[in-house]
Amino acid sequence: MKDMLPAWLTPQEIDSVLAKVAEPDSAELSAILEKSLALQPLGLAEVAALLRVESKDGLRDIFETADKVKQKVYGDRIVLTAPLHLSNHCGSECLYCANRRGNTLIERKYMTPPEMREAALHLVRQGHKRVILVSGQLPNADVEYLAEAVSVMYTVYDDLGELRRVNINAGMLSEEDFRTLVRYDIGSMLLFQETYHEESYRAAHKSGPKSNYFRRLHGPDIAKQAGVNEVGLGLLLGLGPWKFDLLALAQHSAHLLRLYGEGAHTVSLFRMRPAPGSDFMPPYPLSDADFLRCVAVARLALPTSGLILTTREPSGLWRNGCSAGASQLITGSLANPYQDWNEGAGEHGVKFPMSEDLHVDEVVRFLLEESRHLPSFCTACPRLGRIGNEFNAIASDCGMRSQCGPNSIASFMEFLLRYATPYTRGLGDRLIAEKLRAMSEGERMAAVRMLQKVLAGRVDEFI
Ligand code: SF4
């Protein structure tokens, strides 16, 4: 079964829908947008219809509704997460990736536990509470290494804070290995398909475990069956035809929802970037406008999934993405940590990046200066067991909003008090005052009670 196309993915149907569905008239468009506003996942023909819209008014309605849907489910918050790259050893040969096995230009590294601790402290001292551990497809499928890294993360602590949520993006594992990680209390497993388009996938993934297209497609099922509660899907935009990929992603999420009660917990939308030791160019490059449209349509298609962008995109673009439905930012790049490799290779090759160069205070400041979004460091849901199906049920009922508002404000105030520069603190205080004014009476009272505790020195306040 693992060596064939899963029944939920129907490429011919996707091609046919993309070819046949016409631009919707305004009544049809309204009906689709209403469905999304009712937090119903969209079907293939509906997603394809959104991709057909060309009129200025229609596009405006798409972007405005994507924002409304995000507001309805998550409110104004933008969750911030840091990647931590553990190792760049890899047994696969993905032509776009610096970690690919055959790349001789980079220095190879397994971070040692003391180095992991140091890197984690670096993030903690910036105010991060969530981390994504990233590695290549470790040649020995070394799950003990990953498990140890998770343990290190959960035991990192200094006077300034701790990490409270550890997610993983480390390629495909066996069911048994996923079970091992579940025992270590991991958060989400991010399992990017990169592209669902078989020809494009095979052209870019030349050998090694990741080159098995069918196995990759079955990965989220294997993780779910091993007890992973939250599985994130993702696209490497530019690798395949993005409209096809978006429809396939909708099919994938619908399949997970049908079988396990939650669709894609998150959807990551990253564009392919240049990498040291790779001259592979994106076969289907995406313009900024198409990228934003992809974000908005993904939000409408999967109303309750977390939508993740990276701050490796130009800052204007990720900020616009936050207004087009994105709910999370990775403050560094999962797809390419070697952003600055043109500084030159060292004696042993391009150095393994031991930490991210973008400080979270800068990201928060960008969000505050030019946007209305509330940066959030809240980790209440996983720690109260509101995960997987339960999270989905609350999100679908708009329940996240009433809890997330006060929780996000409390976590943000904790950040402002303990980690922010004075300038960011001033901006943050003003934003919190604005958000409190806009809240319902009940939410405001809850938020004010929590703020009083945080201002008195309490940390980790949530409801
Ligand atoms: S994309 Fe992942 S599996 Fe492929 S070469 Fe890079 S690190 Fe390895």
Side-chain angles (χ1 to χ4, degrees):
M1 284 299 283
K2 303 277 187 295
D3 284 330
M4 55 192 284
L5 203 62
W8 53 262
L9 180 61
T10 55
Q12 282 172 348
E13 186 187 4
I14 293 176
D15 284 336
S16 151
V17 165
L18 280 172
K20 286 188 190 145
V21 169
E23 181 168 5
D25 62 27
S26 69
E28 288 165 339
L29 178 59
S30 296
I32 296 170
L33 297 179
E34 281 304 318
K35 183 175 174 185
S36 186
L37 262 176
L39 308 187
Q40 304 288 316
L42 301 182
L44 278 195
E46 291 160 329
V47 181
L50 292 179
L51 296 172
R52 281 273 174 192
V53 172
E54 292 302 336
S55 74
K56 217 168 143 195
D57 288 352
L59 286 172
R60 186 202 55 220
D61 290 348
I62 283 178
F63 279 97
E64 285 183 3
T65 310
D67 189 34
K68 279 187 197 154
V69 170
K70 187 250 165 173
Q71 296 288 330
K72 193 170 177 183
V73 178
Y74 294 104
D76 277 342
R77 75 191 176 118
I78 298 289
V79 171
L80 298 173
T81 304
L84 197 160
H85 297 269
L86 294 173
S87 168
N88 59 358
H89 282 277
C90 186
S92 288
E93 186 71 14
C94 311
L95 297 182
Y96 51 82
C97 179
N99 293 351
R100 69 189 168 79
R101 189 181 47 206
N103 188 4
T104 52
L105 197 72
I106 60 169
E107 183 182 311
R108 300 287 172 171
K109 173 89 185 153
Y110 276 108
M111 213 181 246
T112 63
E115 286 169 339
M116 293 173 194
R117 191 170 292 279
E118 195 45 49
L121 278 170
H122 176 83
L123 298 173
V124 163
R125 287 171 190 146
Q126 290 187 22
H128 280 293
K129 301 287 182 251
R130 293 169 179 256
V131 70
I132 297 179
L133 298 181
V134 189
S135 83
Q137 185 85 47
L138 296 174
N140 309 318
D142 197 352
V143 74
E144 277 76 26
Y145 178 72
L146 290 174
E148 182 169 19
V150 175
S151 296
V152 169
M153 295 302 120
Y154 279 132
T155 53
V156 162
Y157 177 80
D158 81 355
D159 288 348
L160 270 179
E162 64 196 336
L163 293 172
R164 297 173 185 158
R165 178 76 163 160
V166 181
N167 302 321
I168 295 191
N169 177 0
M172 261 304 291
L173 299 170
S174 67
E175 187 169 335
E176 198 188 330
D177 287 347
F178 280 129
R179 277 189 209 289
T180 301
L181 291 181
V182 169
R183 286 199 293 278
Y184 281 77
D185 194 23
I186 56 162
S188 306
M189 259 330 283
L190 304 188
L191 295 168
F192 293 17
Q193 181 59 36
E194 320 292 14
T195 176
Y196 289 87
H197 190 252
E198 183 171 354
E199 190 187 323
S200 304
Y201 189 95
R202 293 192 188 284
H205 301 93
K206 297 315 272 185
S207 63
K210 196 166 172 181
S211 64
N212 189 329
Y213 170 72
F214 295 134
R215 220 184 136 61
R216 190 83 184 172
L217 287 170
H218 288 284
D221 286 280
I222 296 170
K224 281 283 191 187
Q225 284 154 18
V228 176
N229 270 306
E230 296 179 347
V231 172
L233 306 180
L235 296 177
L236 185 59
L237 295 164
L239 200 53
W242 70 273
K243 294 181 180 177
F244 178 97
D245 276 335
L246 205 49
L247 266 64
L249 184 90
Q251 285 196 320
H252 200 170
S253 184
H255 157 75
L256 296 176
L257 179 63
R258 233 177 359 252
L259 242 65
Y260 310 105
E262 190 193 33
H265 184 69
T266 54
V267 170
S268 300
L269 296 175
F270 299 159
R271 284 192 298 188
M272 196 192 297
R273 294 179 165 278
S278 167
D279 53 9
F280 186 79
M281 300 301 285
Y284 298 89
L286 220 74
S287 67
D288 290 357
D290 278 346
F291 175 69
L292 285 177
R293 185 168 175 153
C294 181
V295 172
V297 174
R299 165 53 65 216
L300 293 167
L302 304 170
T304 58
S305 296
L307 198 49
I308 305 180
L309 308 184
T310 164
T311 54
R312 293 294 192 193
E313 292 291 350
S315 70
L317 199 61
W318 60 254
R319 283 198 306 267
N320 287 340
C322 290
S323 299
S327 58
Q328 295 194 33
L329 285 174
I330 303 293
T331 61
S333 172
L334 289 175
N336 174 19
Y338 297 95
Q339 184 81 355
D340 301 318
W341 93 85
N342 54 4
E343 285 172 2
E347 193 186 338
H348 305 290
V350 176
K351 281 210 164 311
F352 178 67
M354 298 290 275
S355 63
E356 295 300 319
D357 56 356
L358 191 58
H359 197 288
V360 71
D361 189 83
E362 285 178 63
V363 178
V364 168
R365 188 159 33 82
F366 275 138
L367 278 171
L368 296 176
E369 271 178 344
E370 298 185 39
S371 197
R372 60 188 155 73
H373 304 286
L374 181 72
S376 173
F377 298 87
C378 179
T379 52
C381 282
R383 292 155 82 229
L384 288 171
R386 295 193 296 244
I387 51 177
N389 301 2
E390 195 179 332
F391 177 90
N392 189 46
I394 302 173
S396 303
D397 210 22
C398 304
M400 298 320 303
R401 193 186 163 138
S402 57
Q403 285 153 351
C404 287
N407 283 345
S408 298
I409 282 192
S411 73
F412 184 44
M413 181 54 94
E414 187 181 325
F415 171 82
L416 292 176
L417 289 175
R418 296 164 77 89
Y419 310 101
T421 56
Y423 180 70
T424 303
R425 167 85 199 268
L427 291 175
D429 284 344
R430 280 200 288 285
L431 184 83
I432 287 181
E434 255 174 53
K435 296 296 175 195
L436 287 174
R437 277 197 295 278
M439 279 179 159
S440 69
E441 180 70 13
E443 277 177 20
R444 183 164 49 247
M445 281 170 60
V448 168
R449 273 197 303 275
M450 291 164 77
L451 279 177
Q452 283 168 343
K453 291 183 194 171
V454 174
L455 287 164
R458 295 267 292 264
V459 294
D460 203 14
E461 283 296 316
F462 55 81
I463 51 176

